[in-house]
């Protein structure tokens, strides 16, 4: 019981820090917001921040994770209501792209120098006693794979392809589209790029 309460309290503290950081990044900018600023805005001591997050970048990853989880839930809800699996996949891709478009500075932190979650994971694994990094891998592969299976059953996708491969390909299209959008000056909507790229692959690459 006590362990459960401690876990709940820690999660509440994490959420308070994330909310304070999101507000601070929006008002002051990511670059101008320090760990001390975030801790002060969340009304916690600096040590509490580092107990929950390893860095500002870790906070950005956690904020991104929240947006991904929300988009996953929306896609699953649409699927349960009978919406086309491919439309559900496109909804997910557009939803996470909208977060990038609304938070360009944070998107730049995430994508401009390669996927941040890779470098964050490597840094954590190489540092003994480092604080736990917020989950960077939501059950997206499972959700996409399930939607791919439904699309194959309905004849929207070829049934002879391995669903896990198709799901991984869709995830790669999303990541590549975001990284390209960030590297090329963030012109236009990342959602437009990713959906166009997905549709191009679905239509086929051959002339």
């Amino acid at each position: 019981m006590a362990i459960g309460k401690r876990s709940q309290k820690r999660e509440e503290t994490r959420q308070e820090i994330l909310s304070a950081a999101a507000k601070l990044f929006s008002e002051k900018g990511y670059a101008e917001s320090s760990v001390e600023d975030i801790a002060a805005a969340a009304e916690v001591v600096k040590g509490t921040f580092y107990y929950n997050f390893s860095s500002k970048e870790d906070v950005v990853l956690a904020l991104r994770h929240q947006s991904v989880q929300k988009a996953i839930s929306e896609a699953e809800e649409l699927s349960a209501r009978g919406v086309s699996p491919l439309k559900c996949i496109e909804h997910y891709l557009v939803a996470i792209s909208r977060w990038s478009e609304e938070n360009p500075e944070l998107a730049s932190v995430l994508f401009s120098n390669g996927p941040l979650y890779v470098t964050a994971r490597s840094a954590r694994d190489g540092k003994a006693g480092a604080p736990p990094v917020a989950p960077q891998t939501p059950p997206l592969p499972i959700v996409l794979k399930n939607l791919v299976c439904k699309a194959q059953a309905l004849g929207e996708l070829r049934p002879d392809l391995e669903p896990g491969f198709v799901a991984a390909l869709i995830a790669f299209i999303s990541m590549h589209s975001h990284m390209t959008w960030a590297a090329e000056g963030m012109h236009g909507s990342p959602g437009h790029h990713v959906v166009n790229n997905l549709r191009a692959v679905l239509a086929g690459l051959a002339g």
Side-chain angles (χ1 to χ4, degrees):
M1 187 71 169
I3 294 177
K5 287 183 177 180
R6 285 199 298 271
S7 178
Q8 180 181 352
K9 176 60 178 175
R10 181 177 181 183
E11 182 56 30
E12 289 173 354
T13 300
R14 280 178 56 85
Q15 292 304 317
E16 288 169 1
I17 294 172
L18 286 175
S19 296
K23 187 171 186 294
L24 199 61
F25 292 159
S26 175
E27 295 174 350
K28 192 175 180 180
Y30 174 83
E32 299 302 319
S33 302
S34 66
V35 168
E36 290 80 1
D37 293 333
I38 297 171
E43 299 183 345
V44 298
V45 298
K46 191 174 176 181
T48 299
F49 174 93
Y50 281 116
Y51 180 71
N52 289 279
F53 300 98
S54 62
S55 62
K56 280 201 307 179
E57 291 81 3
D58 195 14
V59 171
V60 175
L61 285 167
L63 290 171
R64 175 65 169 181
H65 176 75
Q66 286 186 334
S67 75
V68 169
Q69 291 289 68
K70 183 175 182 293
I72 286 174
S73 297
E74 290 174 355
E76 289 184 308
E77 181 181 344
L78 289 173
S79 179
R81 286 161 41 193
V83 175
S84 156
L86 281 183
K87 290 295 183 185
C88 293
I89 291 171
E90 285 192 3
H91 176 89
Y92 163 79
L93 295 174
V94 170
I96 61 170
S97 298
R98 189 179 303 118
W99 182 90
S100 297
E101 192 171 4
E102 292 173 351
N103 301 276
E105 190 178 14
L106 302 188
S108 179
V109 173
L110 277 171
F111 301 116
S112 290
N113 296 314
L116 178 61
Y117 68 88
V118 174
T119 54
R121 178 66 64 184
S122 298
R124 188 203 66 169
D125 291 346
K127 184 178 178 182
V133 177
Q136 309 310 330
T137 311
L140 173 59
I142 297 174
V143 174
L144 283 181
K145 185 176 179 179
N146 289 342
L147 289 172
V148 167
C149 288
K150 289 182 179 181
Q152 290 175 322
L154 292 174
E156 293 182 332
L157 291 173
R158 283 172 47 183
D160 59 315
L161 297 177
E162 201 280 309
F165 166 76
V166 179
L169 180 60
I170 293 170
F172 171 79
I173 290 170
S174 176
M175 177 62 69
H176 176 77
S177 298
H178 277 85
M179 290 178 63
T180 302
W181 172 76
E184 295 181 352
M186 299 185 172
H187 301 301
S189 166
H192 178 75
H193 289 300
V194 70
V195 170
N196 272 359
N197 289 340
L198 173 64
R199 290 176 179 174
V201 170
L202 291 177
L205 298 178

